[in-house]
Amino acid sequence: MSGSIEEVKKHVAAYQKVGVTLLVLTGVTVAASYLPTAVPLAIVIALIIATTKGSLVASIFMHLRNERKAIYWALAMTVLFWVFLMFLPLLGQLDHIGVPKTLSNANAPAMHADEEH
Amino acid sequence: MDIPYTVAERPDTGLNNVKLGIWLFLASEVMLFGGLFSSYILLRVGATEWPVGSTLLNVPIGTFNTAVLIISSITMVMAHASLKLDEFGKYKTYMGLTILLALTFLAVKGYEYWEKVSNDHLPAESTYLAIYWTLTGLHGLHIIGGIIVNSYFWGPGSAMWRTKREQFINRVEAAGLYWHFVDLVWIFLFPVLYLL
Amino acid sequence: MENVTTAEQIAHAEHGHEEHTLSFLQSYVFSQDHKVIGIQYAITAMLFLLFGFSLMMVMRWNLAFPGAPIPVIGNFLGQANAPGGIMLPEFYNQLGAMHGTIMVFLGVVPLAVGGFGNFVLPLQIGAPDMAFPKLNMFSYWAFFLGGVVMLASFFAPGGAANSGWTSYAPLSVIATQGQTWWLVGMVFLITSSLLGAINFIVTTIQLRAPGLGFMRLPFFVWAQLVTAFLLLLAFPPLEAAAVLQLMDRLAGTSFFMPAGLVTTAGVPLEYSGGGSPLLWQHLFWFLAHPEVYVLILPAMGIVAEIIANNTRRPLWGYGAMVGSLVFLGFMSFVVWAHHMFMTGMGTTMSAFFQTTTMIISIPSVVILSALFISLYGGSIRYPVSMLFALAFLPMFGIGGLTGLPLGLSAPDLHFHDTYYVIGHFHYVVAPGTILALFAGIYHWYPKATGRVMNELLGRIHFWGSFIAMNVVFMPMFIIGLAGVNRRLYDGGMQYAHAQDVIGWNVVSSYGAWTLGFFQIFFIFNFFWSIRHGKQVDDNPWKATTLEWQAPSPPPHGNFTTPPEARRGPYEYSVPGASTDFTMQGQASGPDPEPAKV
């Protein structure tokens, strides 16, 4: 991120390449959505493409590729807590109320029934 | 009284105040949209049925808008680079283009909204539409905020180019970081809402 | 154009013509000076604390004497709220929800972070101001607006928000209009906190005086830094939740509303359904658990400063304390669901969250132990601030230890939503944090005004408050252990299991009113001492940290000569030194020791 003219010019070339890549990837993700894939696979494909695009924007346009340590630290922390935040849906799924559950000993003979005989 | 490191980088952190400030702001934005995405996943996973976005939304229009926003991100980064290359005229052009593209995005979005309203697809209809309206609405507010900031730096704010050049470049960079973030959010919103 | 000018420009504009006087509005109302903003925050927050406490004093009447007309005040509450002076349950719910909201979001946090953080932090790190003075001003005014909206909600049709400070869905979604005001107010408050947090972090990282490495920062600064990170990263999910709830209320969406759950006269309400009430709880507690640490960490910071100063020894285990603080901050993000054991989220999750909850108690205990050990062997002075700081230690201890059974899912089955919970968190926040905040006010008052507060009035205030607070909250454990629910407007008089313990409500209420009485000494002292307090020099407590190197009150720009940190923050009783304290910026004196790590 130094200010020398040559470097900025190099950056400009990179910006344009990345821009074209982003547009192409947008086309790819739309095209992929028309493929007759199962929903889970479609989600994976779309998210992979979106993450690739997002990383390109973050690393090239936002210069994260070459940034100071303090900012990496702040963002690493954010990502960590963001991951915690993504636990939310998981917690929603682990709600067992209303889900019938068979106990592991359900079919075992009752002890006191034996004793009575 | 001078606040230190407003323009110059502090030697041990290598940062100026603006740069650190805008990144912290973006970090909080990550958590804001993170909370909303997380809610989306929770509601979708728990739903008995969920419409595929393309049955309700117009994918070509959405694709067009995605392209508009990506191009505006390119012009934004070019505007910043032009300043670094000392080409103020080019900066004006690129920044102007960024603003115009952002307005285009809003206009297209407005058309989509109008179409939804006239077909009675309001947020109250289903959780999918509720998510759609909320997420795109909040994103739209961010776009409007970006347009205001960028217009200021394109118009009256650019007078600083003559007086405090270094600081002006820093500010445009910060505005750019925000703008790319708004673009980045849309890059995720588009497939999530339109395609899946 | 003015609106977007940055600190730099202002600084430039003011630089070189210091004698240029600012108008009254610029210097006291729309000030960008961190000290004025800090004092604005502090005074506004104290007014809100008083107001929130007054709500509780009214509520305590109904808990102690259910159904009896409230004397005097009852006539002013309005016929719709308290016909004949007898409080209606709906009104009680409003007061309860607003008491919690006001105390947490408009009282304690703005005082601890906005007030003390703004005033003390830049001085302690030797900075001329906050990194973004204009943003700082906006933070204050966003907070102020949020407060106004909250207060105005009392006049909304149907009164203020009445779904508790947690605003649990679905109750809050179908509540009266006051809830919408509450949400709008929260959006303002959250915005204010976010801007403030960015400012604090940038200031701490960027504007430290030369030589002030991270391990030379006073503990208070560390506490504020960690707090700012919690605010920055935990508040946005609540903002998201507030937006979603606003949509539910205004646009008829169903984010938190399952289909057919709520009915009027047997007919389900018009909600498309598919929403999850649990989602609100998750998003809310994702913020609100870190928020608990936002309430307590600045208090710990204040107490640490005062204890080091008055024991005349360095803090014991500074490095371990800082480590614990950072660890606390991290862990506070993974304990939120211990508020939700009773929602049926499953034993796996309960096990996970009770484990993390037990882990998070370790760093708190480390900090508390380090503060206790710091007392050992010191020749302790007892100014009023030290009395309050010392009282904080056992009070926070009680609050923390009574929290352990709540963090375990099995005993929580019994304790959940009882008065035991109220007792627990009030011990942390009221006799804990609020006593620490009082300590801070007595401690830094001379820095803000150049005068000390009256010692005798301070002592009366301390002993009265300290005893009364325990009278208020100790009975709550008894009532709670008997299983009395926390939200009953009549204190539980219809319940058989409550009959043996509700007499304690009367004791608790008298405690609350006594507590109110003793605050008169503080309020009088606070204003009286501005003009009549004993004048003191710049460093009346013979303290070491940088803020005591600035003149009292500090001028615009804070320091007459830019300070430089030459040693650690707590160089008390250094062997061979001529005085029993060596200031951080002091050039002469013994060879500077390396910073305590």
Side-chain angles (χ1 to χ4, degrees):
Chain A
M1 277 268 313
S2 73
S4 81
I5 303 278
E6 279 70 44
E7 280 207 32
V8 177
K9 281 192 172 145
K10 241 187 259 169
H11 283 159
V12 168
Y15 297 151
Q16 284 158 351
K17 269 183 223 152
V18 169
V20 173
T21 317
L22 288 174
L23 290 173
V24 171
L25 283 176
T26 306
V28 171
T29 190
V30 173
S33 76
Y34 287 106
L35 293 176
T37 43
V39 173
L41 183 64
I43 291 179
V44 171
I45 292 174
L47 284 187
I48 287 176
I49 296 176
T51 310
T52 315
K53 286 163 76 182
S55 322
L56 279 174
V57 172
S59 54
I60 311 293
F61 286 176
M62 299 169 91
H63 309 126
L64 264 192
R65 193 175 46 164
N66 179 16
E67 198 41 275
R68 307 292 179 187
K69 235 169 45 191
I71 284 176
Y72 286 141
W73 271 105
L75 290 180
M77 205 144 39
T78 312
V79 168
L80 184 71
F81 294 140
W82 183 84
V83 170
F84 294 155
L85 193 55
M86 289 299 145
F87 270 107
L88 271 178
L90 181 70
L91 297 181
Q93 279 303 291
L94 285 168
D95 183 347
H96 288 298
I97 281 194
V99 181
K101 194 173 181 185
T102 330
L103 295 175
S104 55
N105 60 351
N107 294 323
M111 292 298 276
H112 62 273
D114 289 341
E115 283 159 16
E116 271 173 20
H117 285 123
Chain B
M1 178 195 74
D2 280 315
I3 308 279
Y5 311 117
T6 311
V7 182
E9 290 173 352
R10 183 182 164 111
D12 55 351
T13 59
L15 291 166
N16 61 46
N17 299 344
V18 181
K19 187 86 162 279
L20 183 58
I22 191 75
W23 272 111
L24 290 172
F25 176 69
L26 294 183
S28 83
E29 292 278 82
V30 168
M31 294 303 279
L32 173 70
F33 283 100
L36 291 167
F37 269 109
S38 186
S39 309
Y40 159 79
I41 301 170
L42 186 142
L43 291 172
R44 174 161 189 177
V45 171
T48 43
E49 55 187 56
W50 195 268
V52 174
S54 51
T55 57
L56 280 163
L57 304 177
N58 189 329
V59 176
I61 289 189
T63 313
F64 173 75
N65 242 358
T66 310
V68 167
L69 216 49
I70 288 174
I71 296 170
S72 85
S73 230
I74 304 171
T75 54
M76 186 76 203
V77 87
M78 293 302 289
H80 176 234
S82 309
L83 285 183
K84 288 205 134 181
L85 294 170
D86 230 11
E87 292 166 341
F88 187 68
K90 269 192 179 173
Y91 159 77
K92 277 274 201 185
T93 316
Y94 280 124
M95 193 57 135
L97 274 175
T98 310
I99 297 163
L100 282 179
L101 286 164
L103 289 170
T104 312
F105 179 89
L106 274 189
V108 173
K109 198 78 227 154
Y111 167 73
E112 281 188 278
Y113 279 160
W114 173 79
E115 200 186 43
K116 291 278 159 312
V117 173
S118 51
N119 287 325
D120 233 14
H121 288 315
L122 292 172
E125 184 179 309
S126 71
T127 303
Y128 167 75
L129 279 164
I131 286 272
Y132 166 78
W133 279 93
T134 312
L135 284 176
T136 55
L138 206 62
H139 180 260
L141 287 180
H142 279 80
I143 297 268
I144 293 173
I147 291 177
I148 293 171
V149 172
N150 287 347
S151 306
Y152 173 77
F153 288 134
W154 180 79
S158 64
M160 256 180 99
W161 173 252
R162 289 186 304 277
T163 51
K164 298 186 193 81
R165 189 157 295 195
E166 191 83 0
Q167 197 181 354
F168 182 64
I169 297 177
N170 283 342
R171 286 179 170 199
V172 172
E173 186 183 7
L177 286 173
Y178 170 80
W179 191 251
H180 302 314
F181 177 79
V182 175
D183 182 27
L184 203 154
V185 170
W186 184 258
I187 284 177
F188 282 92
L189 278 186
F190 170 64
V192 163
L193 293 175
Y194 284 74
L195 304 179
L196 297 179
Chain C
M1 175 144 185
E2 263 305 297
N3 290 334
V4 199
T5 43
T6 57
E8 173 79 356
Q9 280 183 313
I10 298 149
H12 272 298
E14 280 166 10
H15 194 63
H17 45 102
E18 303 283 7
E19 67 280 3
H20 166 74
T21 46
L22 299 163
S23 71
F24 176 80
L25 270 184
Q26 280 171 311
S27 45
Y28 294 107
V29 183
F30 297 105
S31 171
Q32 295 169 16
D33 188 311
H34 75 96
K35 299 177 292 292
V36 180
I37 295 174
I39 292 168
Q40 284 176 327
Y41 259 117
I43 290 180
T44 319
M46 281 195 276
L47 287 173
F48 275 119
L49 279 177
L50 186 65
F51 180 70
F53 178 53
S54 307
L55 298 184
M56 187 38 80
M57 286 197 284
V58 177
M59 290 165 75
R60 290 254 36 127
W61 173 269
N62 212 50
L63 290 171
F65 311 111
I70 305 164
V72 193
I73 301 162
N75 302 322
F76 300 103
L77 296 176
Q79 283 302 306
N81 298 324
I86 301 168
M87 186 188 289
L88 289 178
E90 292 83 358
F91 188 54
Y92 179 89
N93 283 346
Q94 288 175 34
L95 295 186
M98 295 311 282
H99 167 77
T101 307
I102 288 174
M103 290 313 233
V104 172
F105 295 109
L106 291 164
V108 174
V109 173
L111 181 54
V113 179
F116 282 107
N118 256 314
F119 189 88
V120 177
L121 185 137
L123 285 168
Q124 275 197 335
I125 62 171
D129 206 317
M130 294 288 267
F132 308 112
K134 211 150 212 171
L135 197 68
N136 205 9
M137 181 185 81
F138 282 130
S139 303
Y140 171 74
W141 285 103
F143 155 66
F144 187 82
L145 258 167
V148 169
V149 171
M150 287 287 183
L151 287 185
S153 73
F154 274 105
F155 303 101
N162 52 17
S163 314
W165 81 285
T166 52
S167 284
Y168 274 7
L171 188 60
S172 53
V173 176
I174 55 167
T176 49
Q177 202 193 329
Q179 180 65 25
T180 306
W181 291 64
W182 187 91
L183 291 167
V184 172
M186 282 310 288
V187 170
F188 279 113
L189 295 178
I190 294 169
T191 310
S192 156
S193 286
L194 284 179
L195 299 180
I198 292 171
N199 222 335
F200 281 120
I201 298 172
V202 175
T203 306
T204 311
I205 293 179
Q206 292 285 98
L207 302 191
R208 283 168 291 125
L212 194 60
F214 276 100
M215 288 321 262
R216 283 184 175 182
L217 288 180
F219 190 69
F220 176 81
V221 176
W222 266 110
Q224 289 286 348
L225 182 65
V226 174
T227 304
F229 266 106
L230 297 187
L231 286 173
L232 183 78
L233 298 178
F235 250 136
L238 182 68
E239 192 155 31
V243 169
L244 296 183
Q245 199 180 89
L246 268 178
M247 289 294 285
D248 270 9
R249 292 182 56 87
L250 300 179
T253 59
S254 314
F255 290 114
F256 304 123
M257 297 292 280
L261 178 72
V262 185
T263 60
T264 38
V267 183
L269 286 187
E270 288 262 332
Y271 280 99
S272 55
S276 161
L278 260 194
L279 175 59
W280 170 266
Q281 294 194 24
H282 279 305
L283 290 173
F284 181 84
W285 287 113
F286 191 87
L287 152 88
H289 200 83
E291 177 81 7
V292 171
Y293 291 91
V294 170
L295 296 171
I296 196 69
L297 295 183
M300 286 174 170
I302 292 169
V303 168
E305 295 300 305
I306 294 172
I307 283 185
N309 175 238
N310 287 300
T311 53
R312 319 302 292 163
R313 352 173 15 203
L315 278 182
W316 189 89
Y318 170 82
M321 284 174 76
V322 169
S324 303
L325 198 64
V326 174
F327 186 62
L328 254 183
F330 270 105
M331 289 304 291
S332 72
F333 280 90
V334 273
V335 293
W336 80 86
H338 69 208
H339 296 269
M340 300 164 58
F341 286 144
M342 295 291 279
T343 58
M345 59 184 176
T347 46
T348 323
M349 276 297 122
S350 293
F352 174 77
F353 279 102
Q354 76 181 15
T355 309
T356 53
T357 306
M358 291 304 114
I359 292 173
I360 202 173
S361 64
I362 297 169
S364 322
V365 171
V366 169
I367 293 176
L368 196 62
S369 307
L371 290 173
F372 267 116
I373 298 170
S374 299
L375 301 174
Y376 179 76
S379 65
I380 304 177
R381 302 183 313 201
Y382 295 99
V384 181
S385 57
M386 185 61 171
L387 294 179
F388 276 104
L390 286 176
F392 167 87
L393 302 179
M395 293 298 103
F396 175 68
I398 294 176
L401 291 175
T402 52
L404 290 179
L406 291 170
L408 295 165
S409 63
D412 188 59
L413 295 181
H414 178 64
F415 291 131
H416 187 83
D417 248 348
T418 65
Y419 264 96
Y420 183 89
V421 180
I422 306 264
H424 151 66
F425 71 73
H426 277 87
Y427 259 98
V428 176
V429 179
T433 301
I434 290 184
L435 286 189
L437 294 176
F438 278 134
I441 291 171
Y442 285 99
H443 185 67
W444 278 298
Y445 192 89
K447 188 42 66 189
T449 61
R451 293 166 191 271
V452 285
M453 287 172 78
N454 184 288
E455 190 77 10
L456 177 68
L457 290 172
R459 277 167 201 277
I460 297 172
H461 172 225
F462 167 72
W463 286 107
S465 304
F466 177 63
I467 293 168
M469 277 187 175
N470 282 287
V471 175
V472 178
F473 298 116
M474 200 57 93
M476 291 186 180
F477 290 125
I478 303 169
I479 301 173
L481 283 166
V484 180
N485 184 283
R486 62 191 270 197
R487 299 191 194 273
L488 305 170
Y489 89 109
D490 57 2
M493 68 182 291
Q494 321 105 338
Y495 291 92
H497 68 271
Q499 294 311 314
D500 291 341
V501 292
I502 48 175
W504 285 105
N505 271 327
V506 182
V507 177
S508 188
S509 293
Y510 277 114
W513 302 322
T514 314
L515 180 60
F517 170 73
F518 278 103
Q519 301 319 304
I520 296 171
F521 293 93
F522 171 74
I523 296 166
F524 174 76
N525 195 356
F526 188 85
F527 290 106
W528 183 82
S529 301
I530 293 175
R531 292 199 172 278
H532 306 285
K534 199 178 90 188
Q535 259 182 314
V536 287
D537 64 3
D538 293 345
N539 188 4
W541 312 120
K542 306 281 174 265
T544 51
T545 41
L546 288 176
E547 80 268 32
W548 301 103
Q549 205 174 311
S552 297
H556 193 56
N558 292 347
F559 294 91
T560 35
T561 47
E564 189 180 331
R566 295 187 172 84
R567 51 181 64 75
Y570 304 114
E571 302 280 306
Y572 288 105
S573 307
V574 178
S578 52
T579 52
D580 71 341
F581 69 107
T582 315
M583 293 187 74
Q584 264 194 297
Q586 200 166 307
S588 58
D591 287 338
E593 268 181 54
K596 295 242 180 297
V597 178

